[in-house]
Amino acid sequence: MASTRAAIRYAKAILEIANSKNATSEVSADMALIASTIQSNSELNSFIQNPLVRTENKKDVVSEVFASVNPVTQSIFQLLLENKRFGILDSIAVEYNKLFDIMNGVETAKVTTAVPMDAALEAKVLAKIATISSSKKITIENIVDPAIIGGFILRIGDKQYNASIADRLQVLKRELSN
């Protein structure tokens, strides 16, 4: 996907600029704000994605909506204006935060459960994470999927640990059919 590659390139450039100005944390907070605002506001997202809206108008609106962000973050708006790439602003924000986490040694563990995690399940997941990952900083992202029936599926990077009831039933079904 070309827009994802472009978003990664823009995110890397912003990270380098922010790093040179010792503003990586502030820009990360700005990027999280930008991503969440665009993803949660369908009108703003439609406006940014609309090819009929002039790029200058997009820059004006985005600059006004995000007027309180760091100057390094604001500089991306001008760059997107010049390159007519405002449609990938939210992707750039997401990719920046991924790169920021990698730079700081933070890994995201995606935990899929049938119901929202409680403290007991979170403790089990953290114990399993300690055996799988060597990273000291882990953030947990809980994804609720009732189709797994119970248990959890843990993904860290390219590693996966499946302790779901649906997986156990599938294994049992294969064993009984042989």
Side-chain angles (χ1 to χ4, degrees):
M1 182 186 277
S3 65
T4 303
R5 278 185 263 159
I8 292 170
R9 286 194 302 268
Y10 280 102
K12 283 180 181 177
I14 296 166
L15 184 62
E16 286 180 22
I17 293 167
N19 201 11
S20 70
K21 296 187 179 193
N22 294 324
T24 55
S25 297
E26 294 87 359
V27 174
S28 177
D30 293 345
M31 291 298 179
L33 173 69
I34 289 170
S36 66
T37 303
I38 292 173
Q39 291 167 1
S40 66
N41 189 328
S42 60
E43 287 180 19
L44 179 61
N45 190 20
S46 297
F47 178 80
I48 290 171
Q49 299 297 330
N50 190 340
L52 300 176
V53 177
R54 293 183 47 203
T55 311
E56 292 82 12
N57 294 348
K58 291 179 185 182
K59 180 192 181 284
D60 293 341
V61 168
V62 169
S63 295
E64 190 171 320
V65 170
F66 301 111
S68 63
V69 298
N70 188 296
V72 174
T73 307
Q74 287 181 354
S75 67
I76 190 67
F77 303 152
Q78 182 62 36
L79 188 61
L80 293 175
L81 168 68
E82 292 167 6
N83 295 326
K84 297 180 175 30
R85 299 299 297 260
F86 266 99
I88 62 171
L89 179 59
D90 60 332
S91 298
I92 293 169
V94 169
E95 292 300 328
Y96 177 90
N97 282 327
K98 286 180 186 176
L99 293 171
F100 178 76
D101 285 347
I102 290 169
M103 183 179 90
N104 290 309
V106 176
E107 272 190 290
T108 300
K110 294 186 180 186
V111 182
T112 305
T113 56
V115 295
M117 289 196 321
D118 60 355
L121 182 57
E122 191 169 329
K124 284 183 184 178
V125 169
L126 286 172
K128 191 60 187 174
I129 289 172
T131 64
I132 292 176
S133 177
S134 61
S135 181
K136 290 184 173 49
K137 298 178 193 171
I138 299 284
T139 59
I140 295 178
E141 178 184 332
N142 185 215
I143 302 166
V144 178
D145 181 7
I148 69 167
I149 303 170
F152 62 90
I153 301 171
L154 171 64
R155 285 189 193 94
I156 301 175
D158 61 349
K159 299 173 189 159
Q160 177 174 310
Y161 176 75
N162 194 338
S164 67
I165 302 297
D167 182 58
R168 301 284 189 249
L169 290 172
Q170 191 66 28
V171 169
L172 185 60
K173 181 180 175 183
R174 279 193 302 261
E175 288 176 3
L176 292 174
S177 66
N178 288 337

